[in-house]
């Protein structure tokens, strides 16, 4: 049973007011709110068994280590990875992509090689590749997007050459909500033996992700966008790549034996987890995955889809709105502009009505450039949002039009 009142009561912050009005939180693309059981799991870690992992023989260290490794197993099961060795805890999506861009680059990229990304990417899936290409003398190539925001898939085969070494693509666009056919893209790349990194920052929380079914070589996401804590994220990588790639950072835990002459490295996944990781964050994130698992990904997708259609219909009725990402295959993100009103003005008026939406380029300036704009208003909804909240957003947009036109 999908009980929206019960679900909302699981999130303490949703009960608060902003400027004396009920909070309408439509900024879930930027970060999600936390259910009480995630907050409790983090509190419990600090309250009752906090101690550094993997390093001690004492009781508390044993409990922390066990909970951390249990969190790894929960992540593995959630994305259906073959082995826990393929689950690396990082600080988040950005950290995971930087790790792969650096380490894969060191191992496999040489002068004149090519890296393929898409025009739908968040800066986090552009800049690390650009930096690596600069370092290695490699070339960054970009799959373009169509007017409806979908990827121009015909160009994929055209852009793949004998020099292409890796393809990086977002599962879902944070800026305009478009869902990419990642399975199809992976299949096309694999025909040429090209590995694929999928940026799952906006994909993992909206539907089932099965990395073995996708055959993704790398799949990355952030804890804070999946109802877990900040500062924790995941890099899933196929074992054959992770075994072969050199470590990214050096330090404690990632080593086997250290001497001044030579250091040997720890086995997976620890080879890529230098220093004290955010183990409390990992424990909190695993609790969040358990929580959304208990609601059911199908129930989540169904509710979010209903919200998206309702919001689109209601907003369209207001008139004067231009939507970006109009292809049918999208998540519950609506990205739009109202007449010729600047998005920041709209955002400020909506804020005073208790409605939290995001304005600007959403860390995806090339997407905005593609459409000849410098930003949009983005309402990103998730399973704890309601149609009543969408009605409040619509009242807000009407007010924006009244005040600004
Ligand atoms: N990729 C996408 C598609 C995103 O939406 C985001 C966050 N907005 C990121 C990468 C970066 O995630 P983080 O800031 O958690 O590292």
């Amino acid at each position: 049973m999908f009980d929206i009142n019960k679900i909302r009561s699981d999130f303490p912050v949703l009960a608060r007011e902003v400027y004396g009005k009920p909070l309408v939180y439509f900024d879930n693309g930027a970060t999600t709110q936390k259910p009480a059981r995630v907050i409790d799991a983090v509190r419990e870690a600090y309250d009752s068994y906090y101690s550094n992992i993997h390093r001690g023989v004492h009781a508390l260290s044993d409990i922390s280590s066990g909970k951390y490794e249990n969190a790894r197993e929960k992540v593995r099961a959630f994305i259906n990875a073959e082995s826990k060795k393929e689950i690396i805890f990082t600080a988040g999506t950005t950290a995971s992509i930087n790790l792969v861009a650096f380490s894969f680059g060191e191992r496999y990229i040489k002068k004149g090689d090519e890296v393929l990304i898409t025009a739908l990417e968040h800066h986090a899936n552009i800049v690390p590749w650009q930096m690596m290409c600069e370092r290695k003398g490699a070339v960054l190539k970009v799959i373009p997007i169509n007017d409806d925001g979908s990827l121009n898939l015909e160009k994929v085969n055209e852009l793949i050459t004998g020099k292409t070494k890796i393809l990086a693509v977002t599962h879902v666009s944070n800026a305009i909500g478009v869902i990419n056919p990642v399975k199809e893209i992976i299949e096309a790349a694999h025909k040429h033996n090209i590995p694929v990194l999928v940026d799952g920052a906006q994909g993992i929380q909206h539907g089932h992700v099965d990395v073995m079914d996708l055959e993704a070589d790398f799949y990355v996401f952030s804890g804070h966008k999946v109802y877990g804590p900040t500062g924790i994220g995941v890099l899933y990588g196929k074992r054959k790549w992770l075994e072969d790639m050199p470590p990214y950072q050096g330090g404690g835990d990632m080593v086997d034996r250290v001497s001044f002459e030579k250091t040997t490295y720890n086995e997976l996944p620890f080879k890529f987890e230098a220093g004290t990781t955010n183990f409390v964050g990992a424990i909190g994130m695993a609790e969040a995955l358990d929580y959304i698992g208990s609601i059911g990904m199908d129930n989540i997708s169904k509710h979010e889809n209903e919200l998206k259609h309702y919001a689109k219909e209601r907003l369209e009725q207001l008139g004067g709105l231009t939507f970006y990402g109009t292809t049918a295959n999208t998540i519950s993100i609506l990205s739009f502009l109202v007449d010729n009103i600047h998005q920041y003005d709209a955002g400020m008026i909506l804020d005073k009505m208790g409605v939290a939406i995001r304005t600007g380029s959403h860390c995806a300036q090339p997407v905005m450039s593609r459409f000849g704009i410098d930003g949009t208003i983005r309402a990103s909804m998730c399973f704890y949002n309601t149609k009543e909240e969408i009605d409040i957003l619509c009242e807000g947009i009407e007010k924006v039009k009244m005040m600004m036109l």
Side-chain angles (χ1 to χ4, degrees):
M1 262 299 283
F2 186 86
D3 180 349
I4 188 70
N5 292 327
K6 161 76 179 66
I7 285 170
R8 287 184 67 80
S9 72
D10 291 339
F11 291 81
V13 79
L14 296 181
R16 72 160 289 167
E17 296 189 335
V18 177
Y19 309 117
K21 308 213 167 58
L23 166 70
V24 175
Y25 187 75
F26 281 160
D27 197 15
N28 297 289
T31 198
T32 53
Q33 300 300 343
K34 316 303 166 201
R37 56 186 266 194
V38 168
I39 300 165
D40 290 346
V42 170
R43 185 195 308 269
E44 190 200 12
Y46 286 117
D47 266 359
S48 61
Y49 61 83
Y50 181 77
S51 178
N52 211 336
I53 50 167
H54 297 157
R55 291 162 198 208
V57 288
H58 60 83
L60 296 195
S61 179
D62 223 38
I63 300 172
S64 296
S65 305
K67 298 253 188 198
Y68 182 63
E69 291 309 321
N70 192 32
R72 199 188 304 277
E73 168 53 26
K74 284 184 177 173
V75 171
R76 185 209 64 73
F78 194 80
I79 61 171
N80 194 32
E82 195 176 340
S83 160
K84 267 171 64 172
K85 290 182 183 295
E86 299 176 317
I87 306 297
I88 315 288
F89 286 121
T90 66
T93 304
T94 304
S96 298
I97 298 172
N98 274 279
L99 189 163
V100 177
F102 179 87
S103 185
F104 187 94
E106 283 303 292
R107 178 74 183 81
Y108 302 108
I109 307 282
K110 52 184 192 326
K111 196 169 167 31
D113 282 344
E114 294 169 0
V115 173
L116 193 52
I117 62 168
T118 89
L120 264 186
E121 303 309 314
H122 184 281
H123 297 160
N125 206 22
I126 302 174
V127 185
W129 301 111
Q130 236 165 11
M131 289 162 64
M132 184 267 274
C133 284
E134 262 175 42
R135 213 172 56 243
K136 293 279 168 180
V139 181
L140 192 68
K141 289 183 148 187
V142 185
I143 301 165
I145 43 185
N146 300 311
D147 289 343
D148 65 0
S150 60
L151 281 182
N152 184 343
L153 292 175
E154 282 159 25
K155 294 275 179 196
V156 176
N157 282 326
E158 224 172 272
L159 285 163
I160 288 178
T161 74
K163 291 180 175 173
T164 312
K165 288 287 151 64
I166 189 164
L167 191 161
V169 57
T170 193
H171 193 166
V172 174
S173 157
N174 68 307
I176 55 175
V178 171
I179 304 171
N180 286 324
V182 283
K183 193 169 174 171
E184 215 177 292
I185 294 169
I186 290 168
E187 219 176 281
H190 282 181
K191 281 199 182 118
H192 303 269
N193 292 322
I194 297 164
V196 179
L197 176 140
V198 180
D199 172 353
Q202 302 288 342
I204 189 83
Q205 64 282 58
H206 296 293
H208 287 285
V209 169
D210 180 330
V211 291
M212 278 205 274
D213 177 58
L214 282 177
E215 291 196 42
D217 297 276
F218 302 98
Y219 192 98
V220 300
F221 61 93
S222 300
H224 72 96
K225 292 186 199 278
V226 66
Y227 312 98
T230 39
I232 183 74
V234 171
L235 159 62
Y236 158 78
K238 273 188 192 160
R239 201 163 157 181
K240 65 169 180 179
W241 298 117
L242 296 179
E243 294 280 11
D244 207 33
M245 283 158 49
Y248 176 47
Q249 292 182 317
D253 246 21
M254 54 74 75
V255 291
D256 171 31
R257 288 201 64 77
V258 179
S259 73
F260 292 120
E261 290 71 39
K262 180 158 178 64
T263 291
T264 53
Y265 304 124
N266 205 340
E267 59 184 21
L268 289 176
F270 313 111
K271 178 173 119 180
F272 290 105
E273 292 183 357
T276 299
T277 57
N278 182 1
F279 61 91
V280 176
I283 293 163
M285 177 170 62
E287 190 67 28
L289 297 181
D290 272 352
Y291 174 74
I292 58 173
S294 75
I295 294 170
M297 283 322 288
D298 289 338
N299 292 329
I300 288 175
S301 305
K302 184 166 171 279
H303 181 75
E304 290 179 348
N305 215 26
E306 276 170 27
L307 290 180
K308 178 185 81 174
H309 286 296
Y310 181 75
K312 185 86 192 282
E313 201 181 303
R314 288 280 285 109
L315 286 167
E316 266 171 350
Q317 283 165 3
L318 302 177
L321 272 67
T322 309
F323 291 90
Y324 298 90
T326 51
T327 178
N329 203 16
T330 58
I331 55 152
S332 47
I333 282 182
L334 291 177
S335 209
F336 56 93
L337 285 171
V338 183
D339 292 302
N340 57 354
I341 299 165
H342 197 276
Q343 65 269 15
Y344 292 140
D345 294 329
M348 267 152 55
I349 296 167
L350 289 167
D351 173 51
K352 292 290 177 294
M353 298 181 72
V355 181
I357 46 87
R358 187 144 293 246
T359 54
S361 67
H362 319 297
C363 290
Q365 286 170 14
V367 177
M368 301 298 123
S369 305
R370 165 64 177 79
F371 293 105
I373 52 178
D374 64 354
T376 67
I377 300 164
R378 183 186 71 181
S380 49
M381 296 161 282
C382 77
F383 67 92
Y384 49 58
N385 291 126
T386 64
K387 290 183 178 167
E388 291 72 31
E389 290 180 309
I390 292 167
D391 293 339
I392 297 173
L393 169 70
C394 290
E395 277 168 37
I397 300 286
E398 272 176 333
K399 190 160 183 185
V400 168
K401 288 170 67 135
M402 217 164 64
M403 289 174 72
M404 302 299 300
L405 287 178

